[in-house]
Amino acid sequence: MPSARELILPLRGALVPIPAQPQDGVCSICHSSAKPGFSHCLPCAEAAAADPPEILPITLSVHGELIHSHLRNYKDSPTAGVRSRMSLRLAALLATFMANHSRCVGEWDYATCVPSATRVALQPVVDRIQLFAGRYRQVLTSGPEAEARLIDPARFAVSPDVRGHRILLLDDTFVSGASVFSAAGALRDRAARVVGPVVIGRHVQRGWPPSAELLSWITKRPWDETRCARCAGERPRASLF
Ligand SMILES: [Zn+2]
Ligand SMILES: [Zn+2]
């Protein structure tokens, strides 16, 4: 069995570090690009009134590139071997992140994944990770996602009782944030404490000017497993103070 380090090797060149916040041009909730002078990206600006939790992305996922392809095809490839290979790499990436940033993530009792209406796509990935053995409970189920782009905690049923539990919320991709924010809202409504949420990839489009600006400098930096958005996010220029 290859090590986690060996498994993520094919992803290394495509992993993009996460910018620190606060800084101009970076969303204070999801760490993606924001327009100059704005503290939130567009989806998070809409979500801000609900006081959503700060997202902890492992990498930026550039539309159409290798990480984006993994985050789609680990669940949707028609080829079982492709799904399996990509799931294993993503599991190695998530395990590596959790091993290096337990303090940044904070204490949690068990993990749960953000489900879609039809499946819990990330569960087979989480099931491969030793850290979650005995510390994973799928307490969220999703109703129909007719209005999936809106934040609506009622979309998710929560069972069994989660009152007072510290729940690490996991998702594969953050696009509009509607799913993860709705899931966090559903857990909070049941008096759970949401930890993380950790998402593997914060989806970005090169065609969106604020993202193009961010990617122009941040993709020159190597992704480093010992750094995350909370403990050592990137800034355009290293500063002493
Ligand atoms: Zn945002
Ligand atoms: Zn960290």
Side-chain angles (χ1 to χ4, degrees):
M1 177 73 184
S3 67
R5 178 171 286 275
E6 289 165 333
L7 284 166
I8 60 176
L9 213 51
L11 303 179
R12 280 256 168 208
L15 293 168
V16 182
I18 304 294
Q21 58 88 358
Q23 68 173 302
D24 193 37
V26 174
C27 176
S28 65
I29 295 174
C30 76
H31 293 264
S32 180
S33 59
K35 284 192 203 169
F38 288 78
S39 55
H40 298 127
C41 69
L42 291 176
C44 291
E46 287 180 25
D51 189 27
E54 181 198 337
I55 303 296
L56 193 44
I58 298 176
T59 175
L60 297 179
S61 168
V62 184
H63 184 82
E65 299 188 9
L66 188 69
I67 302 302
H68 178 216
S69 149
H70 275 67
L71 289 168
R72 287 176 70 145
N73 290 316
Y74 91 90
K75 52 188 177 186
D76 288 337
S77 170
T79 310
V82 171
R83 293 197 303 274
S84 169
R85 192 164 64 244
M86 291 185 170
S87 294
L88 199 53
R89 288 176 187 159
L90 293 176
L93 181 62
L94 180 56
T96 298
F97 182 87
M98 293 300 301
N100 279 278
H101 301 287
S102 58
R103 292 236 299 259
C104 308
V105 172
E107 294 190 359
W108 46 280
D109 300 311
Y110 55 88
T112 203
C113 296
V114 179
S116 71
T118 54
R119 60 185 174 178
V120 187
L122 196 58
Q123 186 169 354
V125 171
V126 172
D127 281 346
R128 292 173 185 264
I129 302 173
Q130 182 63 35
L131 175 69
F132 296 113
R135 296 185 74 194
Y136 175 82
R137 284 184 217 171
Q138 192 53 42
V139 295
L140 289 165
T141 47
S142 173
E145 293 189 89
E147 299 193 72
R149 299 184 69 82
L150 299 177
I151 297 175
D152 178 13
R155 235 168 78 189
F156 292 99
V158 181
S159 177
D161 187 20
V162 296
R163 179 173 297 272
H165 298 181
R166 299 169 301 181
I167 303 177
L168 172 60
L169 191 55
L170 302 172
D171 204 359
D172 50 13
T173 306
F174 181 111
V175 181
S176 74
S179 297
V180 69
F181 291 151
S182 299
L187 294 173
R188 285 172 163 180
D189 286 350
R190 304 302 196 293
R193 200 175 114 208
V194 173
V195 178
V198 171
V199 304
I200 297 176
R202 190 351 177 157
H203 188 85
V204 291
Q205 302 261 7
R206 282 190 185 276
W208 170 242
S211 292
E213 166 60 25
L214 173 64
L215 292 169
S216 72
W217 61 269
I218 209 164
T219 53
K220 298 192 176 90
R221 311 283 174 85
W223 183 87
D224 178 344
E225 61 263 48
T226 66
R227 303 178 60 179
C228 83
R230 285 191 189 159
C231 63
E234 299 284 341
R235 294 183 186 274
R237 277 181 293 276
S239 62
L240 292 173
F241 304 104

